[in-house]
Amino acid sequence: VKAVRDALVKLPPNYMKSLANKDCSIQEAIANNSSGKSLAWATQDKYFTMFRQFLLWMADEGYIEKAPGPGVKIAGPGKSASERRKPYSQSQLKAIFSSPLYTGHESGAKRWKPGTQVVRDGKFWVPVIALFTGMRMGEIVQLQPSDLKREDGVWFFDLAEGEGKTFKTKSSLRRIPIHSQLLRMGILGLGESAEGKDRLFSDIEKGSDGYFSHNFSKFWGRYARNAGFGAPSTSFHSFRHNFVDALRAVALPQYVNEALLGHAAITVHGSYGSTSGLKQLRKGVD
């Protein structure tokens, strides 16, 4: 575990993407890294987290007794409060949902220019879902039509493992009741129209890094700048911060917040999957 951590710290930038490194081992890439530059801390942490998840899976499957090195971490500089991503302000939220993406745009390629079209595809739905569920971008763009489910009168997003899906941690597997506003907007009709397809938002294609969030992240960054609501302290992830603030504002029990956000110490997909659990979670979402 320490060896993997130390290698990630020393790898040159873009090692995973550069064609020049195609036939170059990690050890060779580190030895040839004369510039002294390394992967961004966030990238190091992402790959290390993936590695740790593999070890946890091995322990769960009985290949090893337990995951080694639980306290080994990527040392990072940390961020000050001013550097952390912040929730969208009320004025930003108003700007987002009164922008051409929702009120009418020129064309599918020029969503920021006012016009008469309103295309209800992934670009339309993903921000709205983020606002009302607190889901991460990567979790939303990989949703499948079968992930919209109903149990005892409660419609919910079933964030479960499946082919082509990736999750940050095991606790990210969870069930999130669908907010009444999303139901009024016709989210269930979207699921019906996408039936038979691999994903709910097939218009969002996989990026060069193998993740569906890659292209949408680029789109959202450009749209934020062109539509005039972008700011250095906010990003798409700000929707998740807005959701957290909303949960705190109504003083919900901590375990409810953790179940909705996927922050629980154990997999909440099973723990909160009962009928009573879903109803309690729906009350929190509402």
Side-chain angles (χ1 to χ4, degrees):
V1 176
K2 289 181 179 178
V4 170
R5 177 199 62 188
D6 295 343
L8 288 171
V9 171
K10 298 174 182 176
L11 273 175
N14 298 318
Y15 167 74
M16 305 292 184
K17 299 178 182 179
S18 176
L19 292 176
N21 294 324
K22 184 177 180 182
D23 299 317
C24 180
S25 70
I26 289 177
Q27 291 83 357
E28 290 171 334
I30 292 174
N32 296 332
N33 187 18
S34 57
S35 68
K37 295 181 179 179
S38 61
L39 297 171
W41 179 85
T43 304
Q44 296 176 29
D45 189 59
K46 179 179 75 171
Y47 287 130
F48 192 65
T49 298
M50 292 177 180
F51 171 63
R52 292 303 308 276
Q53 286 301 121
F54 174 62
L55 295 178
L56 291 170
W57 173 83
M58 290 180 69
D60 288 344
E61 294 293 322
Y63 292 109
I64 56 178
E65 184 176 345
K66 63 179 181 179
V72 179
K73 298 178 181 179
I74 297 284
K79 294 183 179 180
S80 65
S82 61
E83 293 175 315
R84 298 189 188 106
R85 291 300 183 196
K86 298 179 180 178
Y88 283 121
S89 66
Q90 288 298 309
S91 60
Q92 283 178 301
L93 289 174
K94 289 179 180 179
I96 291 170
F97 295 108
S98 62
S99 69
L101 181 62
Y102 295 98
T103 59
H105 42 266
E106 183 179 297
S107 66
K110 297 180 179 179
R111 305 284 178 119
W112 68 91
K113 288 192 173 183
T116 58
Q117 295 187 37
V118 177
V119 182
R120 288 188 163 221
D121 58 3
K123 294 182 175 68
F124 174 96
W125 280 106
V126 173
V128 186
I129 293 174
L131 180 68
F132 284 104
T133 66
M135 289 164 59
R136 302 174 179 91
M137 180 194 297
E139 295 171 339
I140 302 174
V141 296
Q142 69 181 4
L143 283 171
Q144 299 173 347
S146 58
D147 291 333
L148 273 69
K149 296 181 178 179
R150 189 182 188 186
E151 186 174 297
D152 196 37
V154 179
W155 283 99
F156 61 94
F157 291 107
D158 188 19
L159 273 63
E161 291 178 317
E163 186 176 354
K165 287 185 175 184
T166 59
F167 290 93
K168 186 175 181 180
T169 63
K170 282 191 173 184
S171 61
S172 298
L173 304 177
R174 61 199 190 278
R175 307 214 273 189
I176 307 175
I178 300 176
H179 194 281
S180 56
Q181 178 64 21
L182 291 175
L183 295 175
R184 286 193 293 269
M185 291 178 68
I187 190 73
L188 299 182
L190 175 68
E192 293 170 359
S193 63
E195 191 171 349
K197 297 181 180 179
D198 292 335
R199 292 184 303 111
L200 201 59
F201 307 115
S202 56
D203 58 292
I204 301 176
E205 298 179 353
K206 187 177 290 186
S208 58
D209 63 350
Y211 293 94
F212 292 110
S213 57
H214 179 83
N215 288 334
F216 188 86
S217 180
K218 287 190 172 182
F219 158 75
W220 190 252
R222 290 193 301 268
Y223 187 77
R225 292 191 297 272
N226 292 328
F229 62 83
S233 61
T234 54
S235 67
F236 186 89
H237 200 69
S238 296
F239 284 123
R240 187 165 168 84
H241 290 289
N242 285 114
F243 189 75
V244 171
D245 283 353
L247 294 177
R248 289 172 176 166
V250 292
L252 291 171
Q254 183 64 21
Y255 69 87
V256 172
N257 294 357
E258 290 178 342
L260 291 171
L261 292 165
H263 280 169
I266 59 174
T267 303
V268 298
H269 185 261
S271 302
Y272 296 92
S274 65
T275 301
S276 59
L278 278 173
K279 287 186 175 181
Q280 188 170 13
L281 295 180
R282 182 177 63 179
K283 183 178 179 182
V285 168
D286 288 345

